[in-house]
Amino acid sequence: RTQGWAAGVVLLLEQSRAGGSFDTDKAPAGQKLLFDYFAGEILNRCETPIREFLLKTALLPKITVTAAHALTGADAAGPILDDLTRRNYFTVRHAGKPEDTYQYHPLFWEFLLKEAEGFYRGNKLNELRRNAAEILEAHGEIEAAVTLHQQTLDWENASRLIVAHAPVLCAQGRAGLLWRLIAGIPQDIASHSPWLLYWAGISKLGINPISSQRDFSDALSQFEAAQDVAGMYLSLAGLFEVIFYAQNDFTQFDPLFEKFELLSAAHPDVPAQEIEGRLIFAMIRAMLYRFPKDHPLATAWLQRGMELWERTADINLRIQLGFSLEFQFLWYSDVRKGIAMQETLDRLCRNVALEPLSEINLLMMGAFMRYFSGDHERSLEYATRGLELAEQAGVKVLNPLLFAVGCYNTLTTGLLSEADRYLEGMGQTLAAGGRNLDTSHYHFLQSWRFMLGGDLPRSHEAACSALELAKQVGALYPIALCHYGLAHTLVELGRGEEAMHELTLARGAKIMPLIQFYCDALEAAYLFN
């Protein structure tokens, strides 16, 4: 709080003895002893022009000479800031380009802002805030500009700034900041702005998909009323993504596919390639869980997805499209194509800043690809990096899959104690409840672990739980996989006829060759035995 200022430490301790707060994690609204010090030792000794210069420039978190001159009108803005720095008037200069920046000590800055509220009243203070907001916007200081607009209750300009800069904030991995800015807009205003609703949904997608679903749904309704085609396509893509990340009810994809057909019939020309790419990516991924490969629209969507993947310049979108296409290659037994695409994406992404969710998707897909190609060491490296990034970014929606791929590798190679560690991490991630498909996946892996450990009753129990949850979610591939898993447990229990029935159900889904291979291998082993 004091940044090493010894007198500040003394004053805070004195404030504490007088009954004030000394919680260094919080910033009290008023600190009388500190503020009395600043008023008596600094502000009251300044000449009037310098005092006003300090009060006005306090509206700028980072001050440049250009910005200070524009806000205060002081031709001597540069010499004043240099003099404050030289005399150690709680002012620090930071070298930079195109010009140096100055900052006031946090406690001094807090004091100046309070003084400005008392010195400039009513319209004058709001006029200064509006001017400062315009200057900050021109210099790219969006958070500070939005805050000033909020202080003047200028919700229109605050909303305009948020919507205009939301794509950049997301691309920079600052979705948390975007959500905080939107949360600063009154609910009765934000709830009637479809673009604010859309970006609220995007900002929470990797953290709270259920909340995002309401935002996207409300945004879509408002965009439909306004006939905003771009907004309609993007909100529909957001709903597809939410259902995937929520992992609870994939039957919800079905009305969205119908909505897409109606939308594309009414508005066949998508406003931008990036918008189409985002929607195609989300639909291809949804198709994996709800449609067999021979669905009438599957081939067209996959072909369009490949075209967009090859053409788009948006690296985050290219990763998302690649992620969906890789799953197609993997599940339909073309691992070589999937590996080739993964290696292409790895090369493209070197030295490129990605959205955290895109990068985690890339690492998770790389882990699965390496697992299915038998490269367990590299697969675990990818999974570890994905979990580390998720922790750093606070975007943990894919953690269950990252822990799961760790389980696949360690169970396959017989490292049971390591598998237990990954299972424990997966279980802790799912402890809050919800996410039925991830929980089904967890029970499937538990069943495998119990089987390898010789605990067949618990293996059977976990396999049954996995299948039941997969059916609730309505995800075709996981249902088939869980039938296979249950069959494997039944074979081990000596209940061969029941096992063969489960294999018939798994094959009946006709989902993908990978499941067919698993079933054939298991039946062959059963018959051999």
Side-chain angles (χ1 to χ4, degrees):
R1 291 281 288 144
T2 66
Q3 293 190 351
W5 173 40
V9 175
V10 172
L11 291 167
L12 280 175
L13 287 169
E14 287 297 323
Q15 178 112 349
S16 174
R17 293 193 184 98
S21 170
F22 192 58
D23 185 348
T24 56
D25 291 329
K26 297 177 182 177
Q31 297 177 339
K32 188 175 185 305
L33 293 177
L34 280 167
F35 285 8
D36 286 350
Y37 173 88
F38 285 130
E41 297 296 323
I42 306 294
L43 204 62
N44 293 341
R45 297 187 180 190
C46 291
E47 297 177 1
T48 300
I50 302 299
R51 183 185 302 123
E52 291 204 32
F53 180 90
L54 287 167
L55 296 179
K56 289 178 180 178
T57 53
L59 296 174
L60 306 170
K62 295 178 181 178
I63 309 161
T64 63
V65 171
T66 303
H69 173 68
L71 184 61
T72 66
D75 292 330
I80 291 172
L81 288 167
D82 285 337
D83 183 58
L84 291 170
T85 304
R86 189 182 71 255
R87 291 196 290 152
N88 199 26
Y89 260 44
F90 298 96
T91 307
V92 178
R93 177 167 57 195
H94 302 284
K97 293 181 180 181
E99 55 182 322
D100 293 351
T101 59
Y102 299 80
Q103 279 183 288
Y104 297 130
H105 187 287
L107 294 171
F108 186 44
W109 182 39
E110 184 183 339
F111 162 75
L112 290 175
L113 288 172
K114 289 291 182 185
E115 286 294 303
E117 289 174 4
F119 190 81
Y120 300 108
R121 296 189 178 276
N123 292 334
K124 178 61 177 175
L125 180 59
N126 282 339
E127 181 184 347
L128 281 170
R129 284 171 171 161
R130 281 191 290 271
N131 292 341
E134 291 176 5
I135 293 166
L136 289 166
E137 181 180 355
H139 285 75
E141 297 286 341
I142 303 308
E143 181 180 7
V146 169
T147 299
L148 287 171
H149 283 313
Q150 291 170 339
Q151 289 173 352
T152 63
L153 307 184
D154 186 352
W155 308 118
E156 182 180 351
N157 269 317
S159 300
R160 173 188 60 79
L161 261 182
I162 292 169
V163 170
H165 292 272
V168 174
L169 291 175
C170 286
Q172 293 172 341
R174 302 168 75 192
L177 169 59
L178 175 59
W179 166 237
R180 290 195 298 275
L181 294 177
I182 295 172
I185 304 293
Q187 181 62 26
D188 60 331
I189 294 174
S191 64
H192 291 88
S193 169
W195 282 111
L196 282 179
L197 286 169
Y198 171 75
W199 286 112
I202 290 292
S203 69
K204 294 179 286 183
L205 188 58
I207 301 168
N208 188 349
I210 301 301
S211 177
S212 289
Q213 188 167 6
R214 291 191 295 270
D215 295 325
F216 288 132
S217 182
D218 290 345
L220 178 58
S221 297
Q222 293 183 33
F223 283 131
E224 286 177 329
Q227 285 296 287
D228 187 325
V229 179
M232 285 189 275
Y233 273 111
L234 284 171
S235 298
L236 186 59
L239 284 169
F240 272 108
E241 290 189 69
V242 156
I243 293 166
F244 171 78
Y245 286 121
Q247 300 275 295
N248 273 328
D249 183 3
F250 283 9
T251 63
Q252 292 179 338
F253 283 135
D254 299 350
L256 296 185
F257 285 120
E258 295 174 10
K259 174 74 78 173
F260 168 74
E261 292 186 40
L262 293 172
L263 180 58
S264 58
H267 305 282
D269 296 325
V270 184
Q273 192 177 83
E274 288 73 19
I275 294 174
E276 183 185 11
R278 189 166 191 117
L279 183 56
I280 289 292
F281 139 71
M283 290 198 305
I284 290 173
R285 186 163 58 183
M287 182 181 69
L288 285 167
Y289 289 92
R290 289 299 294 167
F291 291 163
K293 189 180 182 183
D294 58 0
H295 186 275
L297 295 178
T299 302
W301 289 347
L302 287 170
Q303 184 177 346
R304 185 59 180 152
M306 282 299 298
E307 291 172 358
L308 291 169
W309 183 78
E310 290 170 354
R311 292 180 189 175
T312 184
D314 184 330
I315 191 67
N316 284 293
L317 179 57
R318 198 163 192 200
I319 288 172
Q320 291 168 339
L321 283 165
F323 168 78
S324 292
L325 293 165
E326 280 183 68
F327 258 126
Q328 288 281 345
F329 296 143
L330 173 61
W331 287 4
Y332 293 120
S333 299
D334 201 339
V335 176
R336 287 184 179 181
K337 272 189 181 177
I339 289 287
M341 180 171 280
Q342 179 71 35
E343 290 175 347
T344 299
L345 288 172
D346 284 344
R347 286 195 300 272
L348 286 171
C349 297
R350 285 175 192 149
N351 305 317
V352 175
L354 301 173
E355 298 172 8
L357 189 54
S358 292
E359 189 170 356
I360 295 166
N361 263 317
L362 181 66
L363 291 167
M364 186 265 290
M365 197 63 239
F368 272 105
M369 278 294 165
R370 265 58 187 199
Y371 169 72
F372 278 100
S373 66
D375 190 347
H376 301 294
E377 185 176 350
R378 287 193 69 192
S379 177
L380 288 171
E381 286 175 4
Y382 272 84
T384 300
R385 284 166 54 200
L387 288 166
E388 289 171 351
L389 179 57
E391 187 66 33
Q392 293 166 13
V395 178
K396 301 182 181 180
V397 71
L398 291 174
N399 276 19
L401 284 171
L402 291 165
F403 280 119
V405 75
C407 288
Y408 278 106
N409 281 283
T410 49
L411 289 172
T412 298
T413 53
L415 301 173
L416 299 189
S417 60
E418 286 294 295
D420 290 338
R421 185 170 62 83
Y422 284 111
L423 272 171
E424 182 182 2
M426 194 175 181
Q428 290 174 352
T429 302
L430 298 170
R435 303 187 62 81
N436 285 341
L437 186 59
D438 282 330
T439 306
S440 168
H441 202 182
Y442 173 66
H443 289 312
F444 172 83
L445 292 166
Q446 269 191 321
S447 175
W448 186 1
R449 170 64 180 92
F450 288 139
M451 186 190 304
L452 293 177
D455 191 341
L456 296 181
R458 293 179 73 186
S459 176
H460 180 260
E461 181 184 357
C464 290
S465 298
L467 178 58
E468 184 60 34
L469 282 171
K471 287 179 178 178
Q472 289 179 26
V473 175
L476 301 186
Y477 168 69
I479 291 172
L481 184 64
C482 288
H483 277 300
Y484 157 77
L486 179 55
H488 200 162
T489 298
L490 290 168
V491 165
E492 296 295 323
L493 285 167
R495 294 159 61 177
E497 289 187 11
E498 294 174 67
M500 294 306 103
H501 174 67
E502 293 298 328
L503 289 184
T504 300
L505 293 174
R507 290 186 177 112
K510 296 181 181 177
I511 298 298
M512 56 196 60
L514 191 61
I515 291 290
Q516 185 70 36
F517 171 80
Y518 288 160
C519 292
D520 288 349
L522 180 58
E523 185 171 7
Y526 166 69
L527 294 171
F528 181 83
N529 289 336

